[in-house]
Amino acid sequence: MKKVVLILAIIILAGCKAKKIEVIEPAVPRVEKLALSAVNYNLKNKAYELGKRMLMTCNTSKFKPYNNSEATASVINNITEKKLSKTCGIYRQRYGTFIDLQLIEVFKNNDDKTTIFRYKALYTKKVANKELRLFMNDENKLSSIKTMDWVDTYDNK
């Protein structure tokens, strides 16, 4: 009887051994900087033209909507002439007339396979330091656009 109790106690202790707690940290996208010369010329040109077309709306008040070969459905649905004209009114007042885009950096997000084009938007008022980020998916379609104040270092947010 003592042997049975001893064996059961050992089995219970073995079954109750401490389990390792695995800490799962949030995934940080793996983004790598690409050399400008390593990026396909046609893709760079396409990103430039799509970004410039959107910002030129502020000068001309006319926007040629993106089509299915240029952008994803979410971009097409979210960028409308009405929304752009509202934003453009604010931009023209604060930054002046849009001049051009200057490609500064290109990044590749290895998690979602997007190519991120980081442009400095040039305006007539020299205090205007704006950034335009264009996200191109693996099908070379515009999947997202983001504008923000310019900072010299890339922030992955």
Side-chain angles (χ1 to χ4, degrees):
M1 180 75 175
K2 288 183 183 181
K3 289 182 181 182
V4 173
V5 172
L6 184 60
I7 292 173
L8 285 174
I10 292 173
I11 293 172
I12 290 172
L13 285 175
C16 293
K17 69 178 181 179
K19 294 185 178 184
K20 291 182 181 178
I21 298 175
E22 186 177 333
V23 177
I24 301 173
E25 295 185 26
V28 176
R30 293 176 298 139
V31 177
E32 65 178 296
K33 185 175 180 177
L34 303 176
L36 294 179
S37 60
V39 180
N40 180 302
Y41 173 79
N42 293 331
L43 185 59
K44 283 194 289 192
N45 194 45
K46 183 176 184 178
Y48 172 80
E49 291 299 328
L50 294 174
K52 187 172 181 179
R53 183 194 314 174
M54 184 185 74
L55 292 178
M56 283 301 289
T57 302
C58 295
N59 296 348
T60 64
S61 299
K62 294 181 183 179
F63 176 64
K64 179 184 170 196
Y66 298 127
N67 61 44
N68 291 326
S69 67
E70 297 171 324
T72 61
S74 63
V75 171
I76 293 169
N77 293 334
N78 284 322
I79 298 181
T80 63
E81 193 168 340
K82 185 177 180 180
K83 287 181 183 179
L84 277 175
S85 63
K86 183 179 179 182
T87 304
C88 284
I90 296 167
Y91 274 39
R92 280 186 66 86
Q93 218 173 21
R94 288 184 187 162
Y95 310 121
T97 303
F98 170 71
I99 300 170
D100 202 3
L101 291 174
Q102 179 183 6
L103 180 61
I104 303 298
E105 297 172 308
V106 179
F107 295 89
K108 181 73 174 180
N109 184 326
N110 293 315
D111 290 339
D112 61 8
K113 307 292 185 234
T114 56
T115 305
I116 305 160
F117 292 87
R118 187 169 182 245
Y119 289 97
K120 192 170 196 177
L122 307 173
Y123 289 89
T124 53
K125 292 184 181 177
K126 297 303 175 196
V127 295
N129 292 315
K130 295 300 288 181
E131 177 179 345
L132 178 69
R133 283 191 195 171
L134 297 172
F135 297 78
M136 303 292 279
N137 66 15
D138 57 350
E139 298 174 351
N140 294 337
K141 290 184 179 182
L142 184 61
S143 60
S144 181
I145 298 175
K146 186 176 182 181
T147 60
M148 62 195 70
D149 289 331
W150 178 261
V151 290
D152 288 332
T153 56
Y154 176 74
D155 182 9
N156 196 19
K157 296 177 184 172

